[in-house]
Amino acid sequence: MELKKGSLKSTIAVSLTNYLDAGAIVAGASGLTLWQNYLGLNEGHLGWLNAISANAFGAAIGAIFGGFLADKYGRKTIYTYNMLVYMLGIAIIMFTVNFPMLLIGFLVTGISVGVGVPASWTYISENSEVGNRGKNMGISQFAWGVGPMIILILGMLLAPGNADASSGVLFGYVQKIAAVFIGNDAGVDAINVFSSRIIFGSLFVVALIAWTLQRKLNESKDWEEAQKIQTKEKQPSVFASFGTLFTNKVNVLTMLFLAGIYISWNMVASVMGFFQQHIYETAGGLSNGEANMITAVQWIVIIAVTYFGFAMLVDKVNQRWLYVFGTSIGIIAWGILIFIGIKNHVALWTFTILWGIHAGISVQAFYALWASELFPAKYRAAAQGIMFFAVRSIAAVWGFGFVNIYGENGEGFYTAAYIMIGLLIVALIIGTIWTPKTQGKSLQQITKERYGEDI
């Protein structure tokens, strides 16, 4: 098979979408308590922010449209315009002065993330060599880890202090910037939240860079070939493939498998992505700076394991056993928090390291790889958009359920932790039994084997 030159270069450019996806989620999480104090928010408000963010329903809305648009108009079209929407959402958050503004900013950013994800995973897969497809997808997940790590390090450096901990070493600059915008006599909470505004500003800069790079990408050759075939017939509408996706038995079984592993895992990961620091501060008793520090360490582990444990191995070893190892580590991590206790700092650090290992060889990495392999090119992105819609929609509903189970001060933490273990066990069982046999095959070969000659 002809090698696709420049696949690494295009992978890096497109992977910035993952950086911005995870970065938006963790930026919200990093400053969640600060926004809560500044705007006087309760747990219900936090549930709404999670529900409509890049972590949940905002991304779900974007994905259902983004997948179909990427199949209809091309992957490059998404990259030409979508980052502009992302920057708009980030700008609204940066200048937020009330809860409705914050909610709108989270929603717009989330929609943009949802639009970009199916196109990015599809583009990377379609522009990868057979022997590097898993590696390139791993590099995109690597970017998904780098974003939160940088955001959390910034959060640690810019964090305001409290009675139990000193402020971050750069918090003095936060105070100076706040004084320029709101004066020296502003309240403590209004000043403190500027650390979160600055962090979102860093995402705006990266989004501008991503938009500049992604606009220069060439269109996917697989998509162009699929378009040539379709020009022989009447050009379909944007949602023309929707019926085919749900009437073809192979499609239905594939979506059930992929949704099964991703929904169960993402219900845990969405909590970790948006509420982790809040949990560490309330149930674990840490300061905002400490919570950001320990989570930043976790993301350092994640990016190292993503590269050396997933990207470097997934094309070479048995994928089923790599999946089993990664998912099992996550179950063990939650078990330690339950049986030793979240207020025990040794247990908390052990959990942090083990969850980092798990997230590096995560269900999401396998899902991104398999979802981009198992569908034909003509509706590859649309299928991913539908599943991403389902996953993030359920995460939105689950966010409300979680905050009610968890409670105002973490009194329901252990009940929630048992639920997390149960969900991870579901993902482990489904993924282990039905691991697809796509390793070492071209996308065209996989499509032919699964759908025959006429697809």
Side-chain angles (χ1 to χ4, degrees), residues 358-395:
H358 159 77
I361 312 175
S362 69
V363 173
Q364 174 164 299
F366 282 100
Y367 167 84
L369 174 62
W370 293 337
S372 66
E373 293 177 331
L374 297 178
F375 297 98
K378 66 179 182 180
Y379 48 73
R380 186 171 286 142
Q384 292 182 66
I386 290 171
M387 288 183 294
F388 202 77
F389 172 83
V391 169
R392 293 293 172 101
S393 296
I394 290 172

Side-chain angles (χ1 to χ4, degrees), residues 18-19 21-22 140-148 265 299 302 359 362 364:
N18 271 7
Y19 177 103
D21 175 5
S140 77
Q141 294 300 303
F142 176 83
W144 180 77
V146 170
W265 177 83
W299 282 99
I302 290 173
S362 69
Q364 174 164 299

Side-chain angles (χ1 to χ4, degrees), residues 82 95 102 152 163 185 191 217 229 249 363 439 448:
N82 187 46
F95 295 101
L102 188 62
L152 289 166
D185 299 328
I191 295 172
L217 292 173
I229 295 172
K249 182 179 179 180
V363 173
Q439 197 170 9
K448 183 178 178 181

Side-chain angles (χ1 to χ4, degrees), residues 43 278 402-413:
E43 293 298 309
H278 184 63
F402 172 79
V403 295
N404 286 316
I405 294 169
Y406 181 76
E408 292 282 343
N409 298 298
E411 56 270 18
F413 169 77

Side-chain angles (χ1 to χ4, degrees), residues 233-247:
E233 305 172 358
K234 183 180 179 180
Q235 188 74 342
S237 65
V238 173
F239 294 98
S241 296
F242 193 88
T244 305
L245 283 170
F246 288 99
T247 55

